[in-house]
Amino acid sequence: MKRIGVLTGGGDCPGLNAVLRAVVKTADNDYDVKVIGFNDGYEGLIENRYRELSNRDVSGILTRGGTILGTSNRADPFRYPVLQGEEYVYLDRSTQAVRNFEALGLDALVAIGGDGTMAASAGMMELGLPIVGVPKTIDNDLVGTDVTFGFDSAVVTATDAIDKIHTTAQSHHRVMIVEVMGRYAGWLALSSGLAGGGDIILIPEFPYDIEAVCNAVKERNAAGKRFSIVVVGEGAHPAGGEMVVDRRIETSPDAIRLGGVSRQVAAQIEGLTNLECRVTILGHLLRGGSPTAFDRILATRYGTEAVHMVMRGEMGQMVAMKGSNIGSTPMSEVAGKLRTVTPDHPLVKAALSLGVCVGLPMGVPIEESLAEEATT
Ligand code: F6P
């Protein structure tokens, strides 16, 4: 092995630069291997846009958010959007990507990304590209790993926001609704909701019953607690209802962008309780800023291990956290799947023990409520 490539794909998050730094330094210090960085995820590999990354290039980037390479969440090599006239057409550019990879004399590729990048990488592996994956996303929804880097930083940012919103909630005796990202998984809402002392936490996995939500608010008021904090995952939806779609990005492999459910929740709570509500949608704030110490360490461990895996020839694997140990999972097992919150997860149990309403009737076993919802 003399030369390897690296790219960052999908939505950005804190810790991407920390992984790049670890990859370049480990390749150089431990193996004397050169690293080529592709710009904007698979787009750079398809369009042959790259640059060599030296130790000097990655010096000082550990603490920086975003990615020095740039990224793209619409660069699927098998369905690559190309503007023809005023319309996009979709072309299979995977063979071009393989040709560019070979022309550069690369021995392997480290692909840092979420489910979209892992799915593309699993496909490129089948075309003979030797790839090792690194799991990233603030959503923490990748299967095969206990945690993705970027998640902890997003939880810390969301928790800080919830803490700040608490003061207005208390002072003005309002119901404050905080919407967080997370797509189809509730990890970010559940974790920041618990850390921020949320009274009601709504997540996509548990379709909510608005009466149960309002009862929880009213009970708090009756007990003299004249405010409530509701933390809502962007994918939360009422029982029998749909997720709220903010927009569609047709060139993106998953076109749907969620957002705005908190406004519906606020309107319903106001209507049913007569209490004043306010909405804060945190959105892309959650993807920005410097990574937490936890994410810096995780990203560093992932980056160094990815290079060791490349050198051991463990291609087609994604580096993964299993308990407190670093392991790996085949990328083919990650692609196209989602890791979501289950009713028996310890975080859910802890929330229920604290009396947090998760959008379902209180006092009824959660599995029972969900089963009942499924049949109605
Ligand atoms: O997957 C990360 C994520 O931030 C999701 O939580 C969110 O739904 C989505 O990306 C937003 O994507 P975009 O940056 O394209 O708006």
Side-chain angles (χ1 to χ4, degrees):
M1 296 262 179
K2 281 281 152 241
R3 243 177 158 208
I4 63 173
V6 65
L7 58 80
T8 53
D12 72 336
C13 75
L16 284 164
N17 284 325
V19 180
L20 291 173
R21 172 177 174 270
V23 166
V24 172
K25 284 183 182 261
T26 307
D28 183 38
N29 295 339
D30 285 2
Y31 302 106
D32 198 20
V33 163
K34 298 265 171 288
V35 180
I36 296 290
F38 290 100
N39 297 331
D40 306 332
Y42 271 107
E43 216 173 284
L45 184 57
I46 292 163
E47 296 176 359
N48 220 17
R49 291 191 284 111
Y50 61 89
R51 64 179 151 132
E52 193 166 319
L53 293 176
S54 66
N55 263 349
R56 182 182 283 244
D57 294 312
V58 296
S59 167
I61 67 170
L62 172 66
T63 60
R64 271 168 60 184
T67 159
I68 59 165
L69 287 179
T71 186
S72 167
N73 56 10
R74 50 182 84 178
D76 178 355
F78 298 94
R79 190 178 175 271
Y80 192 65
V82 178
L83 198 56
Q84 278 186 6
E86 292 196 350
E87 295 217 338
Y88 277 100
V89 293
Y90 295 88
L91 305 177
D92 184 346
R93 302 296 305 277
S94 54
T95 318
Q96 183 62 49
V98 174
R99 273 204 291 269
N100 291 343
F101 179 88
E102 286 169 353
L104 281 166
L106 295 175
D107 300 300
L109 177 70
V110 175
I112 309 165
D115 51 346
T117 305
M118 293 310 141
S121 301
M124 294 304 291
M125 276 291 301
E126 283 179 21
L127 296 183
L129 235 58
I131 306 178
V132 166
V134 179
K136 157 248 64 156
T137 166
I138 64 162
D139 304 338
N140 205 25
D141 60 354
L142 284 192
V143 299
T145 184
D146 292 350
V147 64
T148 56
F149 73 87
F151 174 65
D152 184 67
S153 303
V155 171
V156 168
T157 302
T159 304
D160 183 44
I162 296 166
D163 287 350
K164 288 184 170 133
I165 277 166
H166 247 107
T167 57
T168 305
Q170 278 169 329
S171 309
H172 287 263
H173 320 296
R174 285 178 182 160
V175 180
M176 299 296 276
I177 296 144
V178 184
E179 179 175 322
V180 300
M181 282 185 164
R183 258 199 323 178
Y184 311 121
W187 298 110
L188 192 45
L190 184 57
S191 302
S192 59
L194 274 180
D199 307 301
I200 294 150
I201 302 175
L202 306 181
I203 62 174
E205 292 86 343
F206 307 154
Y208 64 84
D209 167 355
I210 197 65
E211 276 189 21
V213 172
C214 291
N215 285 342
V217 171
K218 285 191 226 158
E219 271 168 31
R220 280 179 58 78
N221 265 45
K225 295 174 187 164
R226 296 174 58 206
F227 73 94
S228 292
I229 301 284
V230 187
V231 180
V232 185
E234 63 181 357
H237 54 97
E242 302 287 325
M243 293 186 190
V244 177
V245 176
D246 175 44
R247 59 167 67 194
R248 291 183 61 90
I249 310 286
E250 297 304 341
T251 48
S252 179
D254 181 356
I256 289 170
R257 294 294 180 276
L258 299 169
V261 61
S262 49
R263 290 200 191 91
Q264 288 188 1
V265 172
Q268 287 178 304
I269 296 178
E270 270 192 357
L272 291 168
T273 65
N274 241 349
L275 294 167
E276 201 178 352
C277 297
R278 288 290 189 276
V279 166
T280 305
I281 301 178
L282 295 178
H284 290 84
L285 256 187
L286 301 167
R287 295 231 302 254
S290 184
T292 56
F294 178 90
D295 270 340
R296 292 178 200 184
I297 294 166
L298 183 63
T300 300
R301 291 183 75 185
Y302 277 167
T304 54
E305 185 59 19
V307 175
H308 297 321
M309 282 165 62
V310 162
M311 299 310 289
R312 291 196 299 263
E314 295 170 14
M315 304 302 173
Q317 300 287 316
M318 179 186 82
V319 59
M321 202 70 194
K322 301 189 172 180
S324 53
N325 295 320
I326 293 267
S328 64
T329 302
M331 279 191 297
S332 55
E333 286 178 16
V334 179
K337 296 190 191 124
L338 272 187
R339 193 175 73 89
T340 51
V341 178
T342 52
D344 61 349
H345 192 278
L347 288 185
V348 176
K349 289 192 170 162
L352 295 176
S353 298
L354 290 177
V356 172
C357 167
V358 294
L360 302 169
M362 301 295 271
V364 180
I366 196 160
E367 288 86 353
E368 218 173 274
S369 302
L370 291 174
E372 198 172 310
E373 275 184 3
T375 54
T376 51

